[in-house]
Amino acid sequence: MTATQAAPRQTGPEPRGRRGILSALQGHVDLFLNAGSLMATTLITSAFGFLYWWVAAHLAPQAAVGQASAAVSAMTLIGTIGMFGMGTMLIAELPTIARGRWDLISTCLLTAGSAATAGGLIYVLLANLWIPSLRDALGGVPGTVLLVIGIALTAMTLVLDEAMVGLLQGPLQLMRNAWFSLIKLVLLGVVALIPGLVMTSSLILLTWVAGVVTSTAILFRTLRRRRMIDSLRPHPRLMRGRGRATFDHNLLNLATYLPRVTLPLIVVATISDEANAAFYTAFMVLSFMAMVPGNFALTLFAVTAGDKGALRSKVRIGLLVCLGAGFPASIVVFLLSEQIMGLFGAAYAKTAGEALAILSLTYVPFVFHHFFLAISRVQGKLRGAGIFAVFAGLAELGAAWWAGTNGDLNDLVTAVAVVMAVETVLIAPIVLKVVFAPVVDNSAVAEGVTVMSTTSLTLRERAWLPLEYIRTVGPLAGVDAARVRNALIGLHAADPTHRAVSRLDRSGANWQHMDAASFHAYVQEAVTDIGHGPVDFDAMTRHLQAEPRAHHPVRILVGGGYFALKVSHAYGDAGPVNTLVHELVQAAAEGRAARIAPSQRHRLALPVAWWKQFGLKPGRWKEGLSFARPPHTEETPARPWQANLTVVTGRSGQVLGDMRNWRDQHAPGVTTSAITFAAFTAALIELGLKPDLRGGTFLADARRYLGKGVSIDSNFCQGPFLTPPSLTDPVAIHRTLKAELATGRILTMMLLREGKIMLTGAPGMPDPYPSEVAVEPRPRLTFSNQGRHDMLGDLPWAVQPAGRVNQSVPTLNGPEGITLTTSEMNGVLHLEATFHASTYDPAVIARALDLVCSDPAGLIMAYR
């Protein structure tokens, strides 16, 4: 038995293939929570806003509703201008500030309120001097005062809401908006119930402003109760160095909101108050749908601002949701536009029924516009995107003014829709380029490699792209580095597209096929000669474990009679890799070119197998869709931790016979792998490690579900989490695993994983390891049985079977994980336990393998 200790690695914990599609939509739990709160805010404010204006339409004269809606539009417009991009700037800045966050927030609030107040006064002045229709909509002195106050409060609360997102406290802004929506609706009903009181635009506006004030007071009370506010001292100096970014964000924000909130004012100015009442209601229905891509755009910016590599996958998800769900909804609105407007009254349906149908056609332009803005923010192209959006917004407003002056409401919305369609033609290629443009791998060009062609990785290959494992065999006769290189060169000459002689493009998810000259240079790097003298095969494994992942799908060390191969799991699992090991070693020993026939790429093998297992058998659907999830891990005291991957190995030529004798007497029909798994668990308990006995991960090959003649030369495995009644009872393990495989459930798990990858893409590298581990870790077990390796029995071995090395070593594991890999070759049981020496003592794990190899029956009977 030997112990192999790898150098600490900075790359990922255990694979996350079991995660479903929904969990894949989140790059970070806190960010996903904030995105969800934004969506919930949109739903709540839209639903209550719809109800608010529905009540107003039934309790107040149509002219009063039109005047009040114009005032609210002015509040939104000028309040948004008054934000001056500070809300978006806070989202980007607050996570980077350790102290004084609320000083910066209060500075931004004060600045926004002051700017918005000045903007409100300018609006009132312009309305009184030049636009009689807007002057009439002010509602006298009380209405004007309320309007200016409302404008200032709107700007401040908009900044405050986005500050909550920047603090990763999105649920708090959701709470404030929920209170605001409810309070203003209740106040509207109370005012309407006062006897003899005439509902005017000023009273409607008062309920709106009162809702803003009360909801903000509730938010601040909550913040103070949670002791989240450290200081509220505004300091203008805090804005130093943030001016350019603030201006660019503001330019982009204004260009987004300006046309939307100004349109109702143009309707009032060019047509009438009555027309605006109907138009504003119709536009609110569209805004309910358009806010969905708007919130996704803000989420994309928040999630990908620090991780531009995630932009492509997030845009894919966003487009799928916004177009997949929103476009059918816009069609429904188009078909039922008059009925929807009829909910507000017959006059509303007559005035704006057709206008709503036309507006519903602008949903797709809204989607592309918002995603264009999000992509521009992430890519640092704020200024250019802002200038484009400003001109686009001016074009929309100019078209609306011209059409409203020379036509009716339908002409106005048609002109706006045409302009937005033109914008979409211009910006859609930018958005679609992010989604569909191939990722360019510049490393090949930098290294002087000539790539003749590429083959895209299948979804299965992409799923396993971050993972690798090591196969080490020996001692062998007649095998050295020069012979292995020649075998690979011969394989490349016969088939330059074979994956074993191709370059792995992790970023673009491609196999890159090189010309002969490039491969001759490439193979010198891929195969390393460590000399003819005595070598430590454990050190060879350590060397490969310590190497960072690169463009080699196959990386080989040869020397001292040993052959160590690190292979990407994208290339294959145990079956294809054993074929590769066998042929390379044999070809090298015989001094010939390697010959590995390419397999047909059965891209539809998985869905066909799933359909065969479940599609025509509805009775299996429930069972096939129910998964055992790993149990929740309770928080325990933790200590600092660094990865230190370690492998201890063991082998025995006698233990398989002992296992079979015990099985025949005590557990007929049970596999030797189940006995090994149970014995290892019992050994860990015997040695005081207290493994987590609630269940374990069992890797299984899904080829058993394929039809005849269908072969898979890549990875076709899955590791479900199973919960046998006892992990120390081989009968319980055998029955649980057999029952699981009978369901075919792993096919569903594999389909879900591939669906996630199709949406989000697959990471080329694993996630970083954590920095802490439990003070008293409990081993979380993963079991992998690679079956019989007897196909390697005819290699040019230099020793008898009992002395042969046949290691299968994963290169990743979780901080508390222990992976046991088993295989049989020519009657010898080979065991490898992979774990972190920074978590468990290698001597203890080595002793556990000793116990399994010497007395598995005694271990099992002691804990059965």
Side-chain angles (χ1 to χ4, degrees):
M1 181 173 299
T2 57
T4 302
Q5 184 170 332
R9 297 178 60 87
Q10 299 302 317
T11 53
E14 54 195 321
R16 299 181 177 181
R18 294 188 298 271
R19 293 189 175 184
I21 293 178
L22 291 179
S23 63
L25 302 180
Q26 61 189 33
H28 191 278
V29 172
D30 291 335
L31 291 177
F32 181 72
L33 182 64
N34 281 272
S37 71
L38 289 174
M39 298 300 295
T41 298
T42 299
L43 293 174
I44 290 174
T45 55
S46 298
F48 275 87
F50 180 93
L51 186 59
Y52 179 87
W53 292 111
W54 182 87
V55 171
H58 285 78
L59 297 179
Q62 188 168 351
V65 175
Q67 292 173 356
S69 62
V72 170
S73 296
M75 288 165 50
T76 306
L77 169 63
I78 303 172
T80 301
I81 296 173
M83 287 178 68
F84 206 74
M86 283 177 285
T88 315
M89 181 270 289
L90 285 173
I91 291 178
E93 293 287 332
L94 287 176
T96 66
I97 301 174
R99 294 183 178 180
R101 291 178 173 180
W102 278 97
D103 288 345
L104 178 60
I105 294 173
S106 60
T107 301
C108 293
L109 292 177
L110 182 61
T111 304
S114 301
T117 300
L121 294 175
I122 293 173
Y123 171 81
V124 171
L125 180 63
L126 293 176
N128 278 286
L129 293 179
W130 287 297
I131 308 177
S133 56
L134 292 182
R135 181 183 62 232
D136 296 338
L138 291 176
V141 174
T144 302
V145 173
L146 278 174
L147 176 62
V148 174
I149 294 174
I151 288 172
L153 291 175
T154 298
M156 298 175 73
T157 52
L158 287 173
V159 172
L160 183 61
D161 286 346
E162 294 193 0
M164 292 296 100
V165 177
L167 291 172
L168 301 182
Q169 296 294 331
L172 291 182
Q173 66 83 27
L174 170 61
M175 178 199 73
R176 191 203 71 79
N177 281 282
W179 276 113
F180 165 61
S181 300
L182 179 62
I183 290 170
K184 74 176 190 288
L185 178 61
V186 171
L187 290 176
L188 182 67
V190 170
V191 169
L193 293 176
I194 298 177
L197 187 65
V198 178
M199 185 71 74
T200 64
S201 61
S202 296
L203 285 176
I204 298 175
L205 189 59
L206 178 62
T207 64
W208 192 283
V209 172
V212 173
V213 173
T214 308
S215 63
T216 304
I218 293 173
L219 173 62
F220 271 97
R221 180 182 178 185
T222 302
L223 291 170
R224 289 193 177 277
R225 188 171 64 247
R226 297 184 183 183
R227 298 181 180 179
M228 295 177 62
I229 299 178
D230 50 6
S231 173
L232 284 174
R233 293 175 296 181
H235 295 292
R237 59 179 173 79
L238 294 176
M239 298 303 297
R240 293 175 185 172
R242 297 186 170 101
R244 179 182 176 87
T246 301
F247 175 82
D248 288 341
H249 280 299
N250 187 54
L251 182 66
L252 207 50
N253 292 342
L254 291 181
T256 302
Y257 291 107
L258 183 64
R260 321 299 175 234
V261 298
T262 307
L263 278 176
L265 303 180
I266 292 179
V267 174
V268 171
T270 61
I271 303 178
S272 67
D273 289 343
E274 289 75 11
N276 183 56
F279 169 78
Y280 188 84
T281 306
F283 196 72
M284 182 183 60
V285 176
L286 174 66
S287 298
F288 173 77
M289 298 186 296
M291 285 182 184
V292 175
N295 286 332
F296 261 98
L298 186 59
T299 304
L300 282 173
F301 171 52
V303 172
T304 61
D307 182 14
K308 295 182 180 180
L311 179 62
R312 185 178 188 179
S313 62
K314 296 300 180 183
V315 172
R316 285 179 175 178
I317 294 172
L319 284 178
L320 178 68
V321 174
C322 293
L323 294 178
F327 180 69
S330 68
I331 297 300
V332 172
V333 173
F334 176 82
L335 296 175
L336 302 178
S337 58
E338 291 193 5
Q339 290 87 336
I340 294 173
M341 293 304 299
L343 296 175
F344 296 89
Y348 285 76
K350 181 179 179 180
T351 304
E354 186 177 345
L356 176 59
I358 299 171
L359 286 173
S360 68
L361 300 179
T362 65
Y363 175 77
V364 172
F366 266 114
V367 171
F368 280 96
H369 183 77
H370 282 297
F371 275 77
F372 164 71
L373 298 181
I375 292 169
S376 299
R377 291 185 195 274
V378 175
Q379 294 180 342
K381 300 177 180 179
L382 288 170
R383 185 67 58 85
I387 293 173
F388 170 83
V390 166
F391 279 103
L394 291 175
E396 293 174 18
L397 296 178
W401 187 278
W402 176 84
T405 304
N406 297 279
D408 57 12
L409 183 60
N410 292 335
D411 296 323
L412 185 147
V413 296
T414 300
V416 173
V418 170
V419 173
M420 293 184 67
V422 174
E423 295 171 19
T424 305
V425 173
L426 296 175
I427 64 177
I430 298 174
V431 176
L432 297 177
K433 181 179 179 181
V434 173
V435 176
F436 297 110
V439 178
V440 179
D441 178 22
N442 294 320
S443 63
V445 177
E447 296 171 11
V449 175
T450 301
V451 177
M452 298 187 301
S453 63
T454 61
T455 302
S456 62
L457 272 70
T458 64
L459 291 175
R460 287 191 300 277
E461 292 169 339
R462 296 181 190 186
W464 292 95
L465 188 57
L467 304 181
E468 300 174 325
Y469 82 111
I470 300 168
R471 293 282 285 113
T472 304
V473 295
L476 304 163
V479 178
D480 59 29
R483 286 172 171 259
V484 172
R485 291 191 187 110
N486 289 334
L488 286 168
I489 291 172
L491 176 60
H492 181 270
D495 182 8
T497 65
H498 197 284
R499 295 176 304 150
V501 292
S502 297
R503 198 172 183 274
L504 187 57
D505 173 14
R506 295 179 179 274
S507 59
N510 289 308
W511 299 102
Q512 297 178 332
H513 312 306
M514 297 165 278
D515 65 359
S518 295
F519 184 76
H520 273 73
Y522 176 86
V523 78
Q524 299 299 317
E525 180 185 352
V527 181
T528 299
D529 186 355
I530 59 174
H532 295 285
V535 298
D536 182 353
F537 56 84
D538 287 338
M540 297 170 70
T541 303
R542 285 196 299 270
H543 183 94
L544 290 176
Q545 284 182 319
E547 283 188 354
R549 284 160 174 75
H551 50 259
H552 298 100
V554 175
R555 176 77 175 92
I556 301 173
L557 301 181
V558 184
Y562 289 91
F563 175 94
L565 174 148
K566 182 169 71 170
V567 60
S568 170
H569 263 302
Y571 179 89
D573 47 29
V577 172
N578 273 342
T579 299
L580 177 64
V581 170
H582 181 272
E583 179 56 19
L584 287 181
V585 171
Q586 286 284 43
E590 297 171 9
R592 61 173 174 82
R595 297 185 295 266
I596 305 176
S599 299
Q600 182 180 354
R601 307 187 90 196
H602 296 281
R603 293 181 180 269
L604 297 179
L606 178 58
V608 169
W610 186 91
W611 182 257
K612 179 182 176 182
Q613 188 75 9
F614 297 105
L616 300 177
K617 302 172 183 177
R620 294 185 178 180
W621 290 357
K622 181 178 180 180
E623 186 179 41
L625 293 173
S626 58
F627 308 112
R629 297 182 179 274
H632 174 71
T633 302
E634 297 181 0
E635 293 187 5
T636 59
R639 62 175 173 84
W641 181 85
Q642 285 187 337
N644 191 359
L645 198 63
T646 302
V647 174
V648 297
T649 63
R651 61 181 181 271
S652 171
Q654 302 295 327
V655 72
L656 286 174
D658 296 341
M659 287 183 180
R660 293 184 179 108
N661 291 334
W662 179 88
R663 176 188 63 190
D664 294 341
Q665 296 180 29
H666 300 280
V670 171
T671 62
T672 56
S673 61
I675 297 173
T676 305
F677 297 159
F680 180 70
T681 306
L684 295 178
I685 299 174
E686 180 77 13
L687 297 171
L689 285 186
K690 300 179 181 179
D692 188 343
L693 299 178
R694 293 175 293 179
T697 300
F698 293 79
L699 297 177
D701 192 337
R703 289 176 175 83
R704 69 189 73 234
Y705 306 106
L706 299 176
K708 293 183 179 180
V710 179
S711 62
I712 301 293
D713 62 353
S714 58
N715 206 309
F716 207 64
C717 292
Q718 183 64 34
F721 183 86
L722 304 180
T723 56
S726 172
L727 283 178
T728 60
D729 183 358
V731 175
I733 293 175
H734 175 78
R735 289 176 177 173
T736 300
L737 186 56
K738 185 177 180 181
E740 175 68 21
L741 295 176
T743 66
R745 193 157 32 212
I746 62 175
L747 293 173
T748 305
M749 298 173 67
M750 294 170 70
L751 271 179
L752 291 175
R753 181 178 60 180
E754 293 191 7
K756 176 193 71 175
I757 291 169
M758 187 165 56
L759 294 176
T760 67
M765 298 291 181
D767 294 334
Y769 276 123
S771 59
E772 292 183 336
V773 71
V775 173
E776 297 182 0
R778 300 185 62 188
R780 300 174 187 174
L781 302 178
T782 298
F783 301 106
S784 174
N785 175 37
Q786 296 198 357
R788 294 182 180 273
H789 289 181
D790 291 345
M791 67 173 297
L792 302 180
D794 62 347
L795 294 182
W797 298 101
V799 297
Q800 295 301 310
R804 296 170 184 173
V805 171
N806 179 41
Q807 294 183 359
S808 299
V809 179
T811 60
L812 286 178
N813 211 343
E816 298 182 39
I818 300 179
T819 299
L820 179 68
T821 306
T822 70
S823 62
E824 299 178 22
M825 187 173 70
N826 301 125
V828 177
L829 176 66
H830 294 265
L831 303 176
E832 295 84 37
T834 307
F835 57 98
H836 289 277
S838 47
T839 306
Y840 307 112
D841 184 353
V844 175
I845 307 300
R847 178 57 182 159
L849 293 188
D850 273 334
L851 292 175
V852 173
C853 289
S854 60
D855 188 18
L859 289 169
I860 293 171
M861 296 303 290
Y863 291 94
R864 194 179 185 191

